[in-house]
Amino acid sequence: MIYEAVEDFAAALPPMTALAGLDLGTKTIGVAVSDSFRQVATPLETIKRKKFTLDAERLLEIAKERQLGGLVLGLPRNMDGSEGPRCQSTRAFARNLEKLTDLPITFWDERLSTVAAERALLEADTSRKRRAEVIDHVAAGYILQGVLDRMRHLT
């Protein structure tokens, strides 16, 4: 089921399960996962996009392997907060994924997550080639960490 509000998403999660954060791009999907205590997001991998069924298959494989409790998709809003074509594409991806899994799904405003990831990689003196390889799943980590931090303040 897709939850617009993080509060509703958090209420739907099974206890002590990790979450995945996804940074959906046109060519790749960055994937990050949390620990089962939902404290820390860790970048995991970047999936080269092929077609939806293959992309979804890999995501659900990760979900099964890691016994995930939910999925967080970065929502690429415009800087003014409005939703453009990329948001519509992300929402469509979520609707299609929802048909294949019972995992709760939510969205997180991903504005500037890639910028933050790029800055962190630059500060770590990462080479340009390596940054290109890891930027998507590092951005997914920023998206997931945002939700984890928000969920810690729900009570």
Side-chain angles (χ1 to χ4, degrees):
M1 185 161 187
I2 297 173
Y3 297 90
E4 285 297 323
V6 172
E7 296 79 5
D8 298 334
F9 172 74
L13 294 171
M16 296 300 293
T17 53
L19 304 178
L22 307 177
D23 181 28
L24 292 176
T26 52
K27 295 185 174 105
T28 59
I29 301 172
V31 182
V33 293
S34 75
D35 57 301
S36 60
F37 295 107
R38 301 184 191 137
Q39 299 294 307
V40 180
T42 305
L44 180 66
E45 71 177 76
T46 298
I47 299 168
K48 294 261 184 262
R49 292 192 76 169
K50 295 175 179 94
K51 58 181 197 176
F52 175 79
T53 48
L54 295 172
D55 300 344
E57 196 175 281
R58 178 62 190 133
L59 289 171
L60 296 176
E61 199 176 282
I62 292 169
K64 187 176 179 189
E65 285 168 7
R66 298 189 167 258
Q67 301 174 330
L68 299 178
L71 303 171
V72 178
L73 278 67
L75 196 61
R77 293 182 185 271
N78 296 322
M79 289 312 279
D80 66 0
S82 63
E83 293 192 10
R86 288 192 55 227
C87 279
Q88 293 166 356
S89 167
T90 298
R91 289 185 182 282
F93 186 92
R95 284 191 301 274
N96 290 329
L97 196 58
E98 179 185 34
K99 295 171 189 161
L100 303 176
T101 182
D102 290 333
L103 290 174
I105 298 170
T106 195
F107 302 104
W108 187 253
D109 185 344
E110 72 161 48
R111 279 180 284 187
L112 302 179
S113 62
T114 303
V115 173
E118 181 88 23
R119 187 171 297 136
L121 291 168
L122 282 168
E123 286 173 10
D125 204 23
T126 311
S127 72
R128 183 176 301 206
K129 181 179 186 294
R130 184 72 181 133
R131 280 198 312 269
E133 291 168 0
V134 301
I135 190 72
D136 296 314
H137 56 272
V138 171
Y142 273 87
I143 291 164
L144 181 55
Q145 192 64 54
V147 169
L148 298 176
D149 293 347
R150 175 74 184 95
M151 285 172 45
R152 257 197 302 284
H153 294 95
L154 297 176
T155 40

